[in-house]
């Protein structure tokens, strides 16, 4: 049908004048057409809770695609599910992406602190994201960390490093720190998750 083809070309022309602004708009054409913009997440800088020797390495948004890659990283078939099942789980979780902010800091000793904060499109999307993030956390951090239960999150540990997941309605916070003291210091910046 020539009419539909000409509509398609006009949308393609429009995309050159007004390109997608997020990976979500690239992955879901309907969100591009609706001009759906991401939720703005403006977290406090981690430097407000860290000692002076910590250097900011990254402070930006991952977007939907890199959120999927983040979740999928380090989880393989040895976790007990097929690659295609894991892809479905992590792609489904990332699809609920509404916005995010990821901050990464490192100190001179090479220790790293990471905080990821995601906003999800719905309560269902939040639950799906938490399930996927929990798979990620359990695959990478094999020991439970009951000493941090008072923080209200789900925490695991691998050697020196702690990984905790916190939720607040349609938001999820993931915090990765070398040691309990840093975890406690960082959580003072995120009172909405306590």
């Amino acid at each position: 049908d020539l009419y539909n083809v000409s509509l398609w070309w006009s949308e393609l022309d429009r995309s050159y004048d007004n390109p997608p602004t997020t990976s979500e708009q690239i992955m879901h054409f309907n969100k591009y057409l609706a001009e759906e913009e991401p939720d703005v997440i403006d977290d406090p800088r981690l430097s407000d809770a860290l000692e002076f020797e910590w250097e900011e390495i990254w402070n930006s948004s991952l977007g939907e695609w890199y959120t999927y890659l983040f979740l999928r990283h380090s989880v393989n078939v040895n976790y007990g599910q097929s690659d295609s099942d894991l892809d479905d789980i992590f792609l489904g979780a990332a699809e609920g992406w509404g916005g995010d902010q990821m901050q990464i800091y490192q100190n001179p000793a090479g220790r790293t602190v990471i905080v990821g904060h995601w906003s999800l499109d719905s309560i269902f999307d939040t639950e799906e994201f938490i399930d996927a993030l929990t798979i990620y956390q359990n695959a990478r951090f094999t020991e439970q960390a009951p000493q941090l239960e008072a923080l209200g999150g789900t925490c695991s540990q691998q050697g020196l490093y702690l990984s905790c997941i916190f939720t607040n309605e349609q938001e999820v916070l993931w915090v990765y720190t070398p040691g309990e003291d840093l975890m406690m210091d960082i959580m003072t910046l995120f009172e909405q998750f306590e």
Side-chain angles (χ1 to χ4, degrees), residues 11 47 65 70 100 102 130:
E11 287 301 324
S47 57
W65 176 245
F70 164 79
D100 75 274
M102 179 75 71
I130 291 166

Side-chain angles (χ1 to χ4, degrees), residues 45-58 103-115 160-161 175-183 185-186:
R45 297 179 88 79
L46 299 184
S47 57
D48 294 345
L50 298 172
E51 300 285 330
F52 66 91
E53 75 265 8
W54 290 87
E55 178 185 356
E56 183 179 86
I57 304 298
W58 174 268
Q103 295 185 63
I104 303 173
Y105 282 73
Q106 194 168 53
N107 72 8
R111 298 227 164 90
T112 305
V113 169
I114 306 173
V115 173
L160 172 68
Y161 281 91
V175 182
Y176 170 84
T177 65
E180 294 175 40
D181 291 341
L182 278 175
M183 180 70 69
D185 291 345
I186 287 170

Side-chain angles (χ1 to χ4, degrees), residues 133-149 153-166 174-180 183:
L133 188 55
T134 300
I135 290 171
Y136 169 86
Q137 180 168 281
N138 291 341
R140 295 200 61 209
F141 305 91
T142 56
E143 306 164 32
Q144 294 303 306
Q147 71 272 26
L148 294 173
E149 286 178 6
T154 303
C155 299
S156 296
Q157 187 169 350
Q158 186 70 38
L160 172 68
Y161 281 91
L162 296 164
S163 172
C164 293
I165 301 168
F166 303 92
W174 175 68
V175 182
Y176 170 84
T177 65
E180 294 175 40
M183 180 70 69

